[in-house]
Amino acid sequence: CEHGNPANRRMHFVGTFMTLVFLASAVLSGNPWLLLGMPLVGYGMAWIGHFFVEHNRPATFKAPIWSLMGDYKMFFLMCMGRMDEEVSRCQQLMGRTPRV
């Protein structure tokens, strides 16, 4: 429910996609240093989305592992076109008005 703003979700999507690009690049090039870019770009985009778009605090500070798993779940839901449905479901559970 911390991802109600579509712009924030898009920032997460780009950041998570870029983590996969860094991973693939590290594997294909054999350069493990590229793995250092994964958290920088992934968390960087997510934090910008939370602080400047959504105006809330990222879950990374409270639950870093759950936050990471949530980012990848959100990424794959967006790839399948099911993220808006998930946001609406969550907002209804929390008693909030859905925004799309």
Side-chain angles (χ1 to χ4, degrees):
C1 288
E2 300 294 322
H3 304 96
N5 189 310
N8 183 30
R9 294 195 300 268
R10 284 190 292 274
M11 294 193 77
H12 277 69
F13 184 89
V14 169
T16 303
F17 177 78
M18 291 305 298
T19 66
L20 298 174
V21 169
F22 272 85
L23 177 62
S25 297
V27 169
L28 294 173
S29 71
N31 183 355
W33 288 101
L34 290 171
L35 297 175
L36 295 175
M38 291 176 68
L40 295 175
V41 72
Y43 285 126
M45 292 295 288
W47 291 355
I48 290 168
H50 280 288
F51 287 126
F52 298 107
V53 176
E54 196 81 50
H55 303 290
N56 60 19
R57 190 173 174 156
T60 308
F61 301 113
K62 295 182 226 169
I65 300 300
W66 284 109
S67 171
L68 181 63
M69 291 182 348
D71 280 350
Y72 282 98
K73 178 181 178 179
M74 184 167 47
F75 176 80
F76 288 110
L77 284 171
M78 290 176 80
C79 286
M80 294 183 290
R82 295 182 37 213
M83 189 60 201
D84 288 338
E85 168 189 323
E86 179 70 9
V87 170
S88 292
R89 184 190 68 79
C90 183
Q91 288 176 335
Q92 287 174 351
L93 287 173
M94 299 298 289
R96 297 180 184 167
T97 304
R99 359 172 221 176
V100 178

